[in-house]
Amino acid sequence: MNRHTADRPASVGWTLDTVSFQYPAATVRAVDHVTTSIRPGQFTALVGPNGSGKSTLFRLLLGALRAEEGLVQFGGRRLDHWSRRDLARTIGVVPQNEEITFPLTVRELVLMGRYPHLGALQALGRRDHIIAESAMERCDVLPLADRPISTLSGGERQRARIARAIAQEPLAFAFDEPTIALDLGHEMRIFELARHFTSTGATVLMATHNLNLAARYADTLVLMHQGRIRAAGLPADVFRKDILENVYEWPLEITTHPGPGPDAGAVQLVPVRGGAAEYRDEHTDGGSEKNGGSEKS
Amino acid sequence: MTGGPRKSMSLRKPAAQLLLLAALALIAVLVSVMVGAVSLSPGEVFSAIRGDGDPTAIVIVRQLRLPRAVVAALVGAALAASGATFQALLRNPLAEPYILGVSGGAAVGAMIAMVAGWSETVSRAVPFAAFIGAIGAILLVLRIAASAGQALDTRVLLLGGVVVGAFFNAVILLVLTLTDAESFRSAIFWIMGGFAGATWSTAGVLLLWFVPGLLLLLALGRSLDLMSIGEDTALYLGTRVEQVKLIAYISASLLTAAAVSVSGVIGFVGLVVPHVIRRVWGGGFRFLIPASALLGAAFLTGADALARTAAAPMELPVGVITAFVGVPFFVWLLRRRPG
């Protein structure tokens, strides 16, 4: 991949130093002493089972939650020293939940990405419209520009929201499970777009449940489990049978992508069918690291 | 009207729409001053305003009908603008200005003033007490919402408002049950809402709250656009969410409190007017708030003129007119443009 080739300035990343967070009513920490970095210009996928702390970590990285302990830095500065406005000019976020209560067109939604660049009384200008149109073009939603959001399919809606993030002209993108409830084609388009962003020098952080696509598209995987980072690094280093079986509590096999295509040989995983009872038995019996896959052996 | 380029495409178009709505509001005020037991021509109205012509007409226009029309317009504008704000803030299309219990607080205040007999000794005691009651309700709801967590949670705000409103309604029923027949009658008239007895000083007091409240909401327009999608989205697009929520809540509540204190509870304007603007023209809150204010002014002034004249010499409650005219129109609009 030819990264750092485009006309963008050097991109920005995050570093976390023993960051912890606990929700007020909770008994355990949602994020527990996490130390890691999200490197500039790379595609980092944040993975882990439901309730593993992914979303909390995601919100800590974006300043929607404030770390109780530890230090979150973004672009070499403490996150809480950034103004909301500067952050919005630097990170394009697509959060998981948005409720469009009132009629809104795709164009109006994408133009909201320009708001952080406008003064309090400044109106949207010609340049803002041009930027919004090129963002819509990149996400294949320009033909839908004047359609109400409520008439779009799930995949189109998600691409419209990504176009809004592009319109922010950020140095980093953060997507929280952007392909949930999307079909295969729409999911692939979003991973392709995310990969493309890094080719222009941008940093991409994506929380996702699609481990196999994460292993093919991302440079780095960060695997969360019970509020901690269980493994982080190259996909091939994180895709270890013992770790993944333990984290997901399901037997699985590690294999490689057969090709054709650019990522032939990439690590992939295949969950084993009918593994629930087996896994639970072995898990509760001995809690051993060796489990699952007995059908195969 | 429907398929044209959105307001974002041209600066002239929303300006033209606002001018049209302003003209509509002025026409409503003019018509409202013309009609009544003595009907006047536009010429007679204008000379009366200048102080020329028939002395009776001068008194009718300057001291009765014009202040009343201006108060109705300001109340309509305040209710419609705060309705639009609450809909964005609570992300709920059913939100209206009274949703957070402001009307209940105002009614309790007004009723205390009536039952205690202050209204006979102190002029304007009722609106003043109503305003104090409304402020009390606002503070109570804020207190409840703030005690539920460190941030202002809109769901808690909504529930707190509904609960506070329900409590005040119970207080009103209790007071009504215990009071004498005459206080009962005047309390019921106040609750029904209307503009009888509106004066220039009423208009002046309203304006005092109306101007800063509306300006604040206008300044928050873009943040309200983002807030109506979601608080996380608003945050990630550079909005200081907690501040915006607090300022918008207080501004909209003060507008409502001022309106309720002078005219009682008038339903429907704050709910429907913003939806009409959205359905016909769409657009963000920087357009929606002034457009709603202007249409609300026109609508309520017209409704008051109709309330005075439809069953003359009897005066109908203006809330009856706003509902009788507004509901069929709104149903028609819903059916014409689904979605």
Side-chain angles (χ1 to χ4, degrees):
Chain A
M1 310 270 165
N2 49 340
R3 251 159 262 148
H4 305 297
T5 51
D7 51 333
R8 306 290 316 236
S11 50
V12 282
W14 286 265
T15 57
L16 292 93
D17 187 6
T18 52
V19 169
S20 295
F21 183 84
Q22 184 164 351
Y23 289 101
T27 53
V28 292
R29 288 178 163 142
V31 165
D32 190 9
H33 292 95
V34 164
T35 299
T36 190
S37 60
I38 286 140
R39 308 234 307 267
Q42 286 207 342
F43 183 163
T44 300
L46 190 57
V47 297
N50 297 322
S52 59
K54 278 197 316 290
S55 286
T56 306
L57 188 65
F58 189 86
R59 303 189 74 217
L60 284 167
L61 288 167
L62 299 171
L65 295 175
R66 183 165 295 193
E68 289 165 347
E69 284 171 40
L71 186 64
V72 182
Q73 288 198 302
F74 175 67
R77 269 159 72 192
R78 287 174 61 121
L79 194 65
D80 48 10
H81 290 179
W82 285 77
S83 73
R84 283 310 328 172
R85 197 175 148 89
D86 284 341
L87 275 181
R89 290 172 172 179
T90 315
I91 315 175
V93 186
V94 178
Q96 213 178 110
N97 292 314
E98 264 174 26
E99 16 178 352
I100 312 277
T101 318
F102 301 108
L104 192 70
T105 63
V106 171
R107 188 190 303 277
E108 286 168 332
L109 183 81
V110 174
L111 279 168
M112 286 179 177
R114 300 304 302 159
Y115 284 11
H117 296 273
L118 298 176
L121 298 173
Q122 194 185 347
L124 289 161
R126 188 165 168 67
R127 198 177 110 80
D128 298 309
H129 286 278
I130 291 169
I131 290 168
E133 296 214 343
S134 91
M136 287 189 276
E137 194 164 23
R138 264 175 85 184
C139 295
D140 275 336
V141 291
L142 190 55
L144 311 172
D146 293 307
R147 289 247 311 262
I149 299 286
S150 55
T151 65
L152 303 189
S153 76
E156 290 165 344
R157 192 176 302 202
Q158 208 58 294
R159 289 208 306 280
R161 297 169 67 213
I162 293 174
R164 182 186 66 204
I166 296 175
Q168 288 171 252
E169 298 189 302
L171 298 175
F173 290 89
F175 304 124
D176 194 4
E177 298 183 16
T179 63
I180 250 173
L182 296 192
D183 65 46
L184 184 147
H186 284 116
E187 181 163 44
M188 291 300 286
R189 280 161 180 259
I190 284 174
F191 272 89
E192 293 279 339
L193 263 176
R195 182 75 253 177
H196 179 72
F197 293 154
T198 59
S199 73
T200 64
T203 310
V204 175
L205 172 70
M206 185 195 287
T208 178
H209 279 304
N210 194 325
L211 291 157
N212 280 335
L213 287 186
R216 288 166 64 185
Y217 282 93
D219 301 299
T220 307
L221 300 189
V222 174
L223 174 66
M224 295 280 294
H225 185 218
Q226 295 173 349
R228 291 164 182 266
I229 290 179
R230 184 59 192 274
L234 296 174
D237 297 335
V238 174
F239 266 45
R240 279 177 43 201
K241 181 175 155 72
D242 54 342
I243 294 176
L244 290 176
E245 283 184 338
N246 178 261
V247 164
Y248 285 94
E249 299 183 16
W250 195 272
L252 47 83
E253 293 300 325
I254 306 289
T255 164
T256 52
H257 192 268
D263 39 22
V267 283
Q268 296 287 281
L269 65 80
V270 183
V272 176
R273 195 178 149 183
E278 286 166 51
Y279 186 83
R280 194 181 307 120
D281 288 347
E282 291 192 30
H283 189 63
T284 48
D285 281 355
S288 93
E289 290 287 296
K290 286 187 61 196
N291 43 37
S294 57
E295 258 173 40
K296 256 194 100 191
S297 54
Chain B
M1 194 189 277
T2 53
R6 306 299 293 222
K7 68 143 199 152
S8 49
M9 291 305 288
S10 131
L11 269 175
R12 259 157 278 129
K13 202 154 178 270
Q17 291 163 345
L18 289 178
L19 271 178
L20 179 71
L21 290 169
L24 200 64
L26 284 177
I27 289 168
V29 169
L30 177 62
V31 169
S32 175
V33 175
M34 285 162 57
V35 299
V38 178
S39 46
L40 302 168
S41 71
E44 285 172 312
V45 171
F46 287 125
S47 29
I49 291 174
R50 285 195 308 268
D52 296 341
D54 183 6
T56 324
I58 294 177
V59 172
I60 290 177
V61 169
R62 280 187 166 186
Q63 287 174 30
L64 297 175
R65 291 189 192 163
L66 194 56
R68 179 171 178 150
V70 168
V71 168
L74 287 174
V75 167
L79 292 179
S82 66
T85 305
F86 280 125
Q87 286 165 12
L89 207 55
L90 303 171
R91 283 182 296 286
N92 187 337
L94 292 178
E96 42 98 31
Y98 309 120
I99 197 160
L100 295 181
V102 171
S103 58
V108 167
M111 206 145 310
I112 289 170
M114 286 174 200
V115 172
W118 300 338
S119 42
E120 283 132 48
T121 54
V122 188
S123 81
R124 308 201 41 76
V126 171
F128 183 72
F131 191 71
I132 298 296
I135 301 287
I138 297 167
L139 294 178
L140 190 59
V141 172
L142 268 182
R143 183 88 187 72
I144 291 174
S147 63
Q150 65 275 64
L152 206 56
D153 185 334
T154 47
R155 288 166 304 176
V156 181
L157 202 61
L158 184 58
L159 284 175
V162 170
V163 167
V164 165
F167 174 73
F168 282 142
N169 282 338
V171 173
I172 292 164
L173 290 179
L174 181 68
V175 174
L176 284 179
T177 315
L178 299 177
T179 193
D180 60 282
E182 196 176 321
S183 299
F184 186 88
R185 259 184 71 81
S186 54
I188 290 292
F189 268 107
W190 191 87
I191 290 173
M192 284 200 297
F195 301 104
T199 64
W200 284 116
S201 83
T202 320
V205 170
L206 258 182
L207 214 56
L208 209 63
W209 296 99
F210 180 79
V211 171
L214 198 71
L215 286 179
L216 278 175
L217 292 182
L218 282 177
L220 292 182
R222 230 173 242 147
S223 303
L224 290 174
D225 284 344
L226 300 176
M227 297 277 287
S228 71
I229 294 182
E231 288 178 17
D232 273 1
T233 305
L235 184 76
Y236 298 145
L237 286 169
T239 307
R240 281 178 286 183
V241 171
E242 294 306 317
Q243 256 165 295
V244 168
K245 265 198 287 198
L246 196 66
I247 295 171
Y249 169 70
I250 290 177
S251 309
S253 297
L254 283 178
L255 281 179
T256 309
V260 176
S261 71
V262 303
S263 63
V265 179
I266 298 169
F268 214 71
V269 180
L271 174 66
V272 164
V273 166
H275 285 301
V276 170
I277 300 287
R278 249 193 293 262
R279 288 205 152 241
V280 174
W281 283 320
F285 277 85
R286 293 215 320 170
F287 171 73
L288 187 66
I289 285 173
S292 296
L294 289 169
L295 185 62
F299 179 50
L300 198 52
T301 311
D304 181 54
L306 206 56
R308 285 190 290 118
T309 54
M314 201 178 71
E315 192 173 301
L316 298 174
V318 67
V320 170
I321 305 290
T322 55
F324 276 26
V325 175
V327 172
F329 178 72
F330 193 57
V331 169
W332 173 75
L333 200 65
L334 280 176
R335 291 169 58 114
R336 193 173 64 100
R337 292 187 58 195

